[in-house]
């Protein structure tokens, strides 16, 4: 077993999100709505040397297995990420993220004049397009700046 | 047209557009045949932003189909000013009417409204978003003057905030049309509209001046450049002045150039253009009646067909 695998396997039960682009770990936590208040262990490694990415971030969340929709949303800011589900210290599942068709309720629309920013009882909804996401309501396109619009 | 609502022009296929425009032609030829077609129906006019003209046009179109209208009145005097959400407002109004026409200052308002009601919603303008019923009457006007294929159309003025422009440009991609966009740098078509145009592979070009392309155009669609779009008034006067046309400007144009404008105009088209054969904007405004009649007729017919299907089940 390599050092790398040892490191990811250190939690007992939960999820390890590996190969997150350097600097995005806190956005990953924000997307997942994790702020430590649940009482589960959360550890974050930032700027860890990586063969594939140069530098990567790594996020370990104990006692929690990510749902598919959570993984989908992660793909927008961490397209190279791998999701390791850990049970009893073993990685039981290892998946790459895939881009979803749409994202609901996670991002806020950057268009201040969009109806989703007008105190309506509505979740935002974005279509995933070639190089970004697009508001289903006002059609505004959000590209590299996605992380700035995570709504938590 | 097999649509439940009319929210954006991007939802319309060539067949959808032609079906409505064919019907508009029938309506214009024989309005009496449509007079009582929807007697007993009620249309709600929900204008969260002042617009005498579009409101009157829908009101008149409805009445010519035998439809009664109920009007929300001015926003200042309605519950909207008391802070009620649009979602709640349309859910209440849905109970009063068989269809809603909505004008709202926020982009995406019509999409949201349509998600909250089960009657047809017509977007009569959402902020700087879309204004698809205007587009249908624009297309009808172009079609009656030139047909809709093998055309070169110039769209000039405020292309960034002009919702009529966003809808028209999207709809024209369904036809064999070269589009030229003429505007100051700061008011070019927005990224989201350009994205849709590129997706369709449409032939588009952008210019800062009208003069180099004027003689190629079959249609020149002029829109107003608003003072509010500029940080200072001098800048506004300097820029807006460059996108004004008069009879002299049009001497360089093709004889059968059609000049259109969604109206109201301020001074972007000089009154002397009215006397030329190019002026088509009043005809265009009048086309609002048969086109909106055809649109309401189609949407109510679709809604009735849907009800029928549910009963059959
Ligand atoms: Zn939006």
């Amino acid at each position: 077993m390599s050092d790398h695998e040892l490191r990811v396997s250190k939690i007992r039960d939960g999820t390890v999100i590996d190969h997150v682009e350097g600097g995005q770990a806190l956005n990953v936590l924000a997307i997942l709505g994790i702020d430590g208040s649940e009482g589960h262990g959360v550890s974050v490694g930032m700027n860890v040397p990586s063969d594939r990415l140069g530098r990567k971030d790594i996020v370990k969340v104990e006692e929690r297995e990510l749902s598919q929709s959570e993984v989908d949303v992660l793909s927008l800011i961490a397209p190279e990420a791998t999701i390791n589900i850990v049970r009893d210290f073993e990685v039981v599942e290892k998946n790459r993220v895939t881009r979803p068709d749409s994202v609901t309720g996670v991002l806020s629309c950057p268009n201040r004049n969009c109806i989703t920013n007008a105190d309506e009882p509505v979740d935002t909804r974005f279509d995933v397009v070639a190089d970004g996401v697009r508001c289903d309501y006002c059609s505004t396109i959000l590209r590299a700046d996605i992380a700035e619009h995570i709504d938590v | 047209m097999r649509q439940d609502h009319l929210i954006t022009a991007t939802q319309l296929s060539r067949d959808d557009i032609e079906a409505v425009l064919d019907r508009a032609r029938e309506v214009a030829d024989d309005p009496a045949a449509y007079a009582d077609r929807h007697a007993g129906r009620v249309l709600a006019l929900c204008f969260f932003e002042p617009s005498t003209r579009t409101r009157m046009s829908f009101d008149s179109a409805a009445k010519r189909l035998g439809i009664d209208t109920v009007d929300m009145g001015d926003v200042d005097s309605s519950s909207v000013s008391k802070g009620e959400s649009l979602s709640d407002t349309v859910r209440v109004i849905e109970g009063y009417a068989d269809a809603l026409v909505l004008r709202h200052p926020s982009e995406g308002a019509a999409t949201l409204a349509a998600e909250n009601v089960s009657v047809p919603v017509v977007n009569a303008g959402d902020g700087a978003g879309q204004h698809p019923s205007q587009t249908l009457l624009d297309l009808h006007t172009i079609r009656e003057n030139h047909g809709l294929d093998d055309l070169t159309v110039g769209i000039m003025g405020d292309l960034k905030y002009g919702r009529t422009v966003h809808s028209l440009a999207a709809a024209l991609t369904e036809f064999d049309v070269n589009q030229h966009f003429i505007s100051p740098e700061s008011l070019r078509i927005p990224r989201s509209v350009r994205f849709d145009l590129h997706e369709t592979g449409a032939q588009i070009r952008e210019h800062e001046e009208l003069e180099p392309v004027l003689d190629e155009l079959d249609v020149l669609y002029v829109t107003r450049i608003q003072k509010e779009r500029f940080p200072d008034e001098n800048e506004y006067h300097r820029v807006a002045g460059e996108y004004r046309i008069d009879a002299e400007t049009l001497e360089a144009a093709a004889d059968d150039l059609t000049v259109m404008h969604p109206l109201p105009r301020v001074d972007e088209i000089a009154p002397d253009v009215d006397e030329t054969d190019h002026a088509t904007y009043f005809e265009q405004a009048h086309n609002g009646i048969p086109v909106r009649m055809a649109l309401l007729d189609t949407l109510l017919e679709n809604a009735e067909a849907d009800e029928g299907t549910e009963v059959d089940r």
Side-chain angles (χ1 to χ4, degrees):
Chain A
M1 193 181 266
S2 72
D3 285 354
H4 169 71
E5 276 168 310
L6 276 175
R7 193 163 57 224
V8 264
S9 301
K10 262 185 213 160
I11 62 173
R12 183 189 182 105
D13 296 297
T15 306
V16 175
I17 306 155
D18 199 359
H19 300 110
V20 174
E21 191 185 322
Q24 293 289 352
L26 296 180
N27 287 326
V28 167
L29 290 174
I31 279 190
L32 299 176
I34 294 170
D35 59 8
S37 63
E38 303 88 348
H40 307 314
V42 177
S43 40
V44 175
M46 293 179 98
N47 296 322
V48 179
S50 156
D51 290 344
R52 184 157 20 124
L53 298 173
R55 289 177 321 167
K56 67 175 184 180
D57 289 359
I58 184 165
V59 176
K60 304 177 199 179
V61 188
E62 291 178 54
E63 313 284 330
R64 175 155 170 191
E65 298 186 3
L66 295 191
S67 69
Q68 189 58 43
S69 68
E70 290 172 317
V71 171
D72 284 350
V73 173
L74 282 184
S75 73
L76 299 175
I77 59 162
E80 300 291 322
T82 44
I83 311 293
N84 302 279
I85 305 291
V86 180
R87 288 179 201 148
D88 203 16
F89 298 109
E90 294 287 328
V91 174
V92 295
E93 220 179 285
K94 191 179 185 94
N95 294 309
R96 293 289 293 272
V97 297
T98 52
R99 286 169 74 77
D101 294 333
S102 70
V103 182
T104 300
V106 180
L107 302 167
S108 64
C109 185
N111 171 12
R112 275 173 300 147
N113 203 42
C114 177
I115 194 71
T116 62
N117 288 321
D119 281 333
E120 292 290 329
V122 62
D123 282 335
T124 61
R125 196 173 60 236
F126 287 81
D127 269 347
V128 176
V129 295
D131 52 351
V133 296
R134 183 176 212 200
C135 177
D136 254 8
Y137 290 88
C138 73
S139 298
T140 296
I141 294 173
L142 191 52
R143 290 199 168 124
D145 36 359
I146 286 173
E148 289 163 29
H149 295 280
I150 294 165
D151 194 12
V152 285
Chain B
M1 184 167 87
R2 270 306 305 145
Q3 308 273 356
D4 295 329
H5 308 284
L6 180 62
I7 307 298
T8 89
T10 52
Q11 80 184 73
L12 296 173
S13 69
R14 183 183 178 116
D15 285 350
D16 288 336
I17 292 166
E18 286 179 336
V20 174
L21 300 191
D22 286 348
R23 195 171 298 201
R25 214 178 245 171
E26 288 169 27
V27 171
D29 287 347
D30 188 9
Y34 286 78
D36 291 315
R37 202 162 178 114
H38 295 282
R41 295 287 177 173
V42 176
L43 177 71
L45 303 172
C46 312
F47 282 70
F48 291 77
E49 194 180 71
S51 155
T52 320
R53 200 174 306 261
T54 304
R55 174 150 56 178
M56 284 179 73
S57 177
F58 272 106
D59 199 3
S60 173
K63 285 171 176 157
R64 285 163 193 255
L65 289 166
I67 303 170
D68 255 328
T69 57
V70 288
D71 193 320
M72 194 178 83
D74 292 331
V75 170
D76 292 347
S77 58
S78 72
S79 53
V80 176
S81 57
K82 302 186 187 92
E84 187 179 47
S85 69
L86 173 64
S87 310
D88 279 5
T89 305
V90 295
R91 267 183 254 171
V92 172
I93 293 177
E94 173 185 25
Y96 309 157
D98 301 293
L100 307 183
V101 175
L102 177 73
R103 158 75 58 97
H104 195 280
S106 297
E107 286 97 65
T111 304
L112 179 71
E115 288 173 357
N116 279 284
V117 301
S118 53
V119 298
V121 173
V122 177
N123 181 6
D126 61 329
Q130 291 264 327
H131 193 359
S133 72
Q134 174 74 41
T135 294
L136 290 170
L137 75 89
D138 293 343
L139 294 173
H140 182 70
T141 307
I142 296 173
R143 190 193 202 200
E144 297 305 303
N145 281 278
H146 294 278
L148 279 170
D149 285 305
D150 196 18
L151 270 189
T152 302
V153 175
I155 305 180
M156 181 167 84
D158 180 353
L159 311 185
K160 184 173 183 185
Y161 299 99
R163 54 191 169 204
T164 61
V165 170
H166 304 161
S167 290
L168 179 61
L172 286 174
T173 64
E174 293 291 316
F175 301 89
D176 178 17
V177 174
N178 287 309
Q179 297 193 58
H180 292 275
F181 296 106
I182 305 128
S183 73
E185 173 69 27
S186 62
L187 295 176
R188 291 172 63 190
I189 47 169
R191 182 156 88 169
S192 61
V193 174
R194 193 174 292 114
F195 180 89
D196 284 329
L197 295 173
H198 283 305
E199 286 277 286
T200 63
Q203 294 288 322
I204 64 163
R205 283 171 59 197
E206 297 183 59
H207 315 267
E208 283 191 52
E209 283 174 59
L210 172 63
E211 194 265 321
V213 290
L214 178 60
D215 65 347
E216 296 174 37
L217 303 179
D218 300 301
V219 175
L220 175 60
Y221 193 97
V222 183
T223 65
R224 181 152 49 110
I225 293 181
Q226 288 174 299
K227 212 180 285 181
E228 307 88 270
R229 306 303 181 204
F230 291 87
D232 82 281
E233 193 156 335
N234 289 336
E235 175 74 358
Y236 159 73
H237 285 296
R238 190 186 63 73
V239 173
E242 292 178 27
Y243 297 90
R244 256 173 223 143
I245 60 166
D246 55 24
E248 199 187 328
T249 319
L250 297 178
E251 279 169 15
D255 289 344
D256 66 347
L257 171 75
T258 294
V259 175
M260 297 171 63
H261 190 298
L263 302 181
R265 68 173 154 174
V266 182
D267 54 4
E268 53 278 10
I269 300 179
D272 65 3
V273 176
D274 302 359
E275 308 309 319
T276 70
D277 290 339
H278 303 298
T280 316
Y281 25 90
F282 295 113
E283 174 189 328
Q284 178 188 357
H286 298 162
N287 283 338
I289 298 300
V291 170
R292 291 189 168 112
M293 285 173 73
L295 172 65
L296 292 172
D297 183 44
T298 305
L299 289 173
L300 286 171
E301 196 175 87
N302 291 350
E304 280 158 24
D306 286 348
E307 279 166 28
T309 334
E310 275 160 36
V311 171
D312 288 346
R313 273 187 229 129

